[in-house]
Short mmCIF file of all heavy atoms in Angstrom, two decimals:
data_model
loop_
_atom_site.label_atom_id
_atom_site.label_comp_id
_atom_site.label_asym_id
_atom_site.label_seq_id
_atom_site.Cartn_x
_atom_site.Cartn_y
_atom_site.Cartn_z
N HIS F 332 -118.90 52.50 -3.86
CA HIS F 332 -119.58 51.34 -3.24
C HIS F 332 -120.29 51.78 -1.96
O HIS F 332 -119.68 52.38 -1.07
CB HIS F 332 -118.56 50.26 -2.93
CG HIS F 332 -119.19 48.96 -2.54
ND1 HIS F 332 -119.52 48.67 -1.24
CD2 HIS F 332 -119.59 47.91 -3.29
CE1 HIS F 332 -120.07 47.47 -1.19
NE2 HIS F 332 -120.13 46.98 -2.42
N PRO F 333 -121.58 51.50 -1.83
CA PRO F 333 -122.36 52.01 -0.70
C PRO F 333 -121.80 51.64 0.67
O PRO F 333 -121.73 52.49 1.57
CB PRO F 333 -123.74 51.40 -0.93
CG PRO F 333 -123.82 51.16 -2.39
CD PRO F 333 -122.43 50.78 -2.80
N ALA F 334 -121.42 50.38 0.85
CA ALA F 334 -120.89 49.97 2.15
C ALA F 334 -119.55 50.62 2.43
O ALA F 334 -119.26 51.01 3.57
CB ALA F 334 -120.77 48.44 2.22
N GLY F 335 -118.72 50.75 1.41
CA GLY F 335 -117.44 51.43 1.58
C GLY F 335 -117.63 52.88 1.95
O GLY F 335 -116.96 53.42 2.84
N CYS F 336 -118.55 53.55 1.27
CA CYS F 336 -118.83 54.96 1.57
C CYS F 336 -119.38 55.11 2.98
O CYS F 336 -119.03 56.07 3.69
CB CYS F 336 -119.82 55.52 0.56
SG CYS F 336 -119.12 55.74 -1.10
N ALA F 337 -120.24 54.18 3.39
CA ALA F 337 -120.81 54.24 4.74
C ALA F 337 -119.71 54.11 5.79
O ALA F 337 -119.71 54.82 6.81
CB ALA F 337 -121.86 53.15 4.92
N ALA F 338 -118.74 53.20 5.54
CA ALA F 338 -117.64 53.02 6.48
C ALA F 338 -116.77 54.26 6.55
O ALA F 338 -116.45 54.76 7.64
CB ALA F 338 -116.80 51.81 6.07
N ALA F 339 -116.37 54.78 5.39
CA ALA F 339 -115.50 55.95 5.36
C ALA F 339 -116.18 57.16 5.98
O ALA F 339 -115.55 57.94 6.71
CB ALA F 339 -115.09 56.25 3.92
N LEU F 340 -117.45 57.33 5.71
CA LEU F 340 -118.20 58.46 6.27
C LEU F 340 -118.21 58.39 7.79
O LEU F 340 -117.97 59.39 8.48
CB LEU F 340 -119.61 58.47 5.72
CG LEU F 340 -120.56 59.55 6.27
CD1 LEU F 340 -120.01 60.94 5.98
CD2 LEU F 340 -121.95 59.38 5.66
N GLU F 341 -118.47 57.21 8.33
CA GLU F 341 -118.53 57.06 9.78
C GLU F 341 -117.16 57.27 10.41
O GLU F 341 -117.04 57.91 11.46
CB GLU F 341 -119.10 55.69 10.15
CG GLU F 341 -119.78 55.63 11.50
CD GLU F 341 -121.04 56.48 11.57
OE1 GLU F 341 -121.66 56.75 10.54
OE2 GLU F 341 -121.38 56.91 12.71
N VAL F 342 -116.12 56.74 9.78
CA VAL F 342 -114.77 56.92 10.30
C VAL F 342 -114.40 58.40 10.31
O VAL F 342 -113.87 58.92 11.31
CB VAL F 342 -113.75 56.12 9.46
CG1 VAL F 342 -112.31 56.54 9.79
CG2 VAL F 342 -113.92 54.63 9.69
N GLN F 343 -114.70 59.11 9.24
CA GLN F 343 -114.36 60.54 9.18
C GLN F 343 -115.16 61.35 10.19
O GLN F 343 -114.65 62.32 10.76
CB GLN F 343 -114.57 61.07 7.76
CG GLN F 343 -113.59 60.51 6.74
CD GLN F 343 -112.15 60.67 7.19
OE1 GLN F 343 -111.70 61.78 7.49
NE2 GLN F 343 -111.40 59.57 7.24
N ARG F 344 -116.39 60.98 10.40
CA ARG F 344 -117.19 61.66 11.42
C ARG F 344 -116.62 61.43 12.82
O ARG F 344 -116.58 62.35 13.65
CB ARG F 344 -118.64 61.21 11.34
CG ARG F 344 -119.41 61.80 10.16
CD ARG F 344 -120.79 61.21 10.04
NE ARG F 344 -121.60 61.93 9.03
CZ ARG F 344 -122.78 61.50 8.58
NH1 ARG F 344 -123.28 60.35 9.02
NH2 ARG F 344 -123.43 62.21 7.68
#
Side-chain angles (χ1 to χ4, degrees):
H332 190 272
C336 289
L340 177 60
E341 206 65 25
V342 167
Q343 292 308 305
R344 285 174 171 170

